[in-house]
Amino acid sequence: MREAAFGLVAVGLCLAPAGAQFRPSDETPEQLPEAPGREETFYACTACHNFKLVAAQGLTKPQWDDSLTWMTKRHNMPDIRGNERELILNYLATHYPPRVPTRAGGWKNPFAVE
Ligand code: HEC
């Protein structure tokens, strides 16, 4: 089931990532905080861009929901629904919640153990 859903995400959607020198092998789900939804979130989002782009954001759950909707509308991300969307949103909201902006002050390693 999961394979089918994520197969869809992976097929032919690899647009040029925002940070040009990204190589997919640079990141693995193991670098993210371990929790339910980690693999699902990682693979759903890294089909198109590196996870750093995601981890650089700190959003509330409704904001993450908007982000996913935006990814779907703007970038043709497969619409993730139901339990899977819930799983991903919970993962994102738990591990990437709103925080003091780090962009101006330099990039904070999202994989670092807090
Ligand atoms: C189908 C391709 C695709 C998928 C899948 C995808 N994105 Fe994106 N995303 C993009 C592109 C292209 C950009 C960079 C251009 C832009 O920001 O409009 C981007 C940018 C972003 C940004 C940065 C926006 C900003 O304003 O800086 C965030 C956050 C983001 N994506 C979140 C996600 C999350 C979370 C997922 C997984 C649930 C995801 N994306 C999956 C295509 C995708």
Side-chain angles (χ1 to χ4, degrees), residues 4 12 18 28-29 36 45 51 67 80 98:
T28 65
C45 309
F51 203 80
S67 288
I80 302 169

mmCIF file of all heavy atoms in Angstrom, residues 4 12 18 28-29 36 45 51 67 80 98:
data_model
loop_
_atom_site.group_PDB
_atom_site.id
_atom_site.type_symbol
_atom_site.label_atom_id
_atom_site.label_comp_id
_atom_site.label_asym_id
_atom_site.label_seq_id
_atom_site.Cartn_x
_atom_site.Cartn_y
_atom_site.Cartn_z
ATOM 1 N N ALA A 4 2.818 1.621 -3.124
ATOM 2 C CA ALA A 4 2.066 2.125 -4.259
ATOM 3 C C ALA A 4 1.953 3.639 -4.177
ATOM 4 O O ALA A 4 2.206 4.347 -5.146
ATOM 5 C CB ALA A 4 0.686 1.501 -4.287
ATOM 6 N N GLY A 12 8.955 10.260 -11.876
ATOM 7 C CA GLY A 12 9.130 11.364 -12.806
ATOM 8 C C GLY A 12 8.902 12.756 -12.257
ATOM 9 O O GLY A 12 8.681 13.682 -13.010
ATOM 10 N N ALA A 18 15.722 23.292 -5.254
ATOM 11 C CA ALA A 18 16.022 24.702 -5.061
ATOM 12 C C ALA A 18 17.513 24.929 -4.819
ATOM 13 O O ALA A 18 18.107 25.857 -5.324
ATOM 14 C CB ALA A 18 15.200 25.250 -3.901
ATOM 15 N N THR A 28 19.226 10.776 4.339
ATOM 16 C CA THR A 28 18.486 9.534 4.556
ATOM 17 C C THR A 28 17.477 9.795 5.666
ATOM 18 O O THR A 28 17.674 10.709 6.475
ATOM 19 C CB THR A 28 19.412 8.385 5.000
ATOM 20 O OG1 THR A 28 19.946 8.724 6.279
ATOM 21 C CG2 THR A 28 20.532 8.154 4.012
ATOM 22 N N PRO A 29 16.410 9.015 5.721
ATOM 23 C CA PRO A 29 15.404 9.240 6.767
ATOM 24 C C PRO A 29 15.991 9.083 8.159
ATOM 25 O O PRO A 29 15.492 9.692 9.105
ATOM 26 C CB PRO A 29 14.343 8.172 6.506
ATOM 27 C CG PRO A 29 14.725 7.456 5.275
ATOM 28 C CD PRO A 29 16.032 7.960 4.777
ATOM 29 N N PRO A 36 6.853 7.981 14.417
ATOM 30 C CA PRO A 36 5.956 7.484 13.378
ATOM 31 C C PRO A 36 5.812 8.519 12.269
ATOM 32 O O PRO A 36 5.700 9.712 12.552
ATOM 33 C CB PRO A 36 4.616 7.296 14.113
ATOM 34 C CG PRO A 36 4.987 7.156 15.542
ATOM 35 C CD PRO A 36 6.230 7.981 15.745
ATOM 36 N N CYS A 45 8.468 14.101 0.561
ATOM 37 C CA CYS A 45 8.994 15.438 0.295
ATOM 38 C C CYS A 45 10.288 15.411 -0.503
ATOM 39 O O CYS A 45 10.547 16.332 -1.278
ATOM 40 C CB CYS A 45 9.202 16.198 1.599
ATOM 41 S SG CYS A 45 7.726 16.179 2.640
ATOM 42 N N PHE A 51 15.400 17.514 2.025
ATOM 43 C CA PHE A 51 14.599 17.682 3.227
ATOM 44 C C PHE A 51 14.973 18.941 3.991
ATOM 45 O O PHE A 51 14.194 19.453 4.785
ATOM 46 C CB PHE A 51 14.687 16.443 4.128
ATOM 47 C CG PHE A 51 13.496 16.349 5.033
ATOM 48 C CD1 PHE A 51 12.292 15.844 4.568
ATOM 49 C CD2 PHE A 51 13.556 16.825 6.336
ATOM 50 C CE1 PHE A 51 11.168 15.807 5.378
ATOM 51 C CE2 PHE A 51 12.438 16.789 7.168
ATOM 52 C CZ PHE A 51 11.244 16.278 6.683
ATOM 53 N N SER A 67 0.952 24.046 3.425
ATOM 54 C CA SER A 67 2.155 23.812 2.628
ATOM 55 C C SER A 67 1.974 22.618 1.703
ATOM 56 O O SER A 67 2.368 22.653 0.537
ATOM 57 C CB SER A 67 3.367 23.519 3.516
ATOM 58 O OG SER A 67 3.772 24.671 4.170
ATOM 59 N N ILE A 80 -1.825 14.057 -0.993
ATOM 60 C CA ILE A 80 -1.727 13.058 0.070
ATOM 61 C C ILE A 80 -2.947 13.237 0.961
ATOM 62 O O ILE A 80 -3.218 14.343 1.403
ATOM 63 C CB ILE A 80 -0.429 13.260 0.880
ATOM 64 C CG1 ILE A 80 0.779 13.159 -0.059
ATOM 65 C CG2 ILE A 80 -0.328 12.241 2.009
ATOM 66 C CD1 ILE A 80 2.087 13.589 0.579
ATOM 67 N N PRO A 98 6.747 25.907 14.837
ATOM 68 C CA PRO A 98 7.203 27.294 14.700
ATOM 69 C C PRO A 98 8.308 27.575 15.710
ATOM 70 O O PRO A 98 8.263 27.109 16.836
ATOM 71 C CB PRO A 98 5.957 28.114 15.042
ATOM 72 C CG PRO A 98 4.815 27.188 14.852
ATOM 73 C CD PRO A 98 5.324 25.813 15.145
#
